[in-house]
């Protein structure tokens, strides 16, 4: 009987694997169709200067529009990375983000940078430098208005090829930021050498900033070290005025989070920027 049970377990396991593989294939083919039919959309989340509330940038975040529902990136980016589909998706994101960044410059009286997330896979496969150059040329966006977000993990697994790609990207004039900073391993001196402009301090340190002294110490140390190396700091996941105030006291440069705005569809981003602009103009003593 034990043997039978074993065989049954195996069979069930095989079936489960089979279902999983089929599910993967189905997802993959739906993904390609969605890309061809233009069913991915970008939402945009403002990044503000803590000192005076000016909007300095906007992060582009991809969503998959499936009928009435919007599928969040956590549900398809891992599959896109393991299948290599992140390469064509990433190219689409770069082009669309640069194109939209041109569309909102007239809503605000100073330039607003667009930040685009890159996956490690885009460094390994596909011609990233050429994709970035072509997105800039196709849209007419000035290179200094494009910021590329990479993670410490991307840098960790780097080879000479990744490093030289990064060097060539910064020679194009685009900005570089490290996303989710503090969750991986990287030396700050090294980041400085790579011509990184901004460290985006991971949300996990920001969430309990007012209650957890360890988090507060870590964030303070990151800001201090970053500034000594002339790197900008941005806090991710700011959800309250209290956290924003703390960060301002700590000398953090920029903030991004639900307290200011959720990621917005393009029309709502335009409205947000116009409202901000009007508010700043009418504020007594404001800009
Ligand atoms: P990320 O780049 O670290 O982006 C920040 C994520 O935190 C976004 O989730 C954003 O909606 C969310 N967020 C922003 N403010 C707050 C807040 O105050 N509280 C909380 N709880 N969350 C906040 P989203 O849009 O679901 O994206 C998740 C991740 O998916 C991104 O993390 C990024 O790693 C990846 N991703 C998104 N778009 C792209 C893309 O175009 N390409 C690649 N390769 N990855 C992308
Ligand atoms: Mg990001
Ligand atoms: Mg992040
Ligand atoms: Mg991330």
């Amino acid at each position: 009987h034990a043997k039978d049970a074993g065989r049954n377990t195996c069979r069930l396991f095989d079936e489960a694997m089979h279902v999983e593989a089929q599910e993967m294939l189905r997802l993959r083919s739906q993904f390609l169709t969605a890309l061809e039919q233009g069913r991915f959309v970008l939402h945009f989340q403002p990044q503000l200067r803590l000192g005076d509330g000016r909007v300095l940038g906007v992060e582009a975040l991809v969503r998959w529009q499936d009928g009435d529902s919007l599928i969040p990136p956590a549900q398809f980016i891992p599959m896109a990375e393991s299948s290599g589909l992140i390469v064509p998706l990433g190219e689409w994101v770069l082009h669309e983000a640069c194109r939209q960044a041109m569309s909102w410059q007239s809503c605000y009286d100073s330039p607003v940078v667009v930040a685009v997330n890159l996956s490690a896979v885009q460094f390994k496969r596909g011609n990233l430098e050429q994709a970035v150059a072509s997105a800039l040329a196709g849209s007419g966006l000035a290179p200094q208005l494009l910021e590329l977000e990479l993670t410490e993990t991307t840098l960790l697994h780097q080879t000479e090829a990744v490093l030289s790609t990064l060097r060539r990207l910064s020679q194009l004039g685009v900005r570089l930021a490290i996303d989710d900073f503090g969750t991986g391993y990287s030396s700050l001196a090294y980041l400085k050498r790579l011509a990184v402009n901004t460290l985006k301090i991971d949300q996990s340190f920001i969430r309990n900033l007012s209650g957890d002294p360890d988090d507060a110490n870590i964030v303070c140390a990151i800001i201090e070290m970053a500034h000594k190396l002339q790197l900008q700091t941005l806090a991710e996941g700011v959800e309250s005025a209290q956290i924003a105030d703390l960060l301002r006291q700590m000398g953090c440069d920029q903030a991004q989070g639900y307290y200011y705005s959720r990621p917005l569809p393009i029309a709502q981003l335009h409205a947000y920027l116009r409202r901000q602009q009007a508010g700043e103009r009418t504020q007594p003593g404001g800009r």
Side-chain angles (χ1 to χ4, degrees), residues 165-176 194-195 197:
T165 301
L166 275 175
R167 264 181 232 114
R168 286 198 310 273
L169 282 173
S170 60
Q171 274 161 16
L172 285 178
V174 302
R175 304 169 56 85
L176 298 178
L194 278 176
N197 303 89

Side-chain angles (χ1 to χ4, degrees), residues 118-138:
L118 295 181
S119 149
V121 180
Q122 289 173 274
F123 281 85
K124 283 183 220 126
R125 307 202 211 168
N127 190 341
L128 184 55
E129 190 196 346
Q130 146 111 63
V132 169
S134 120
L136 288 170

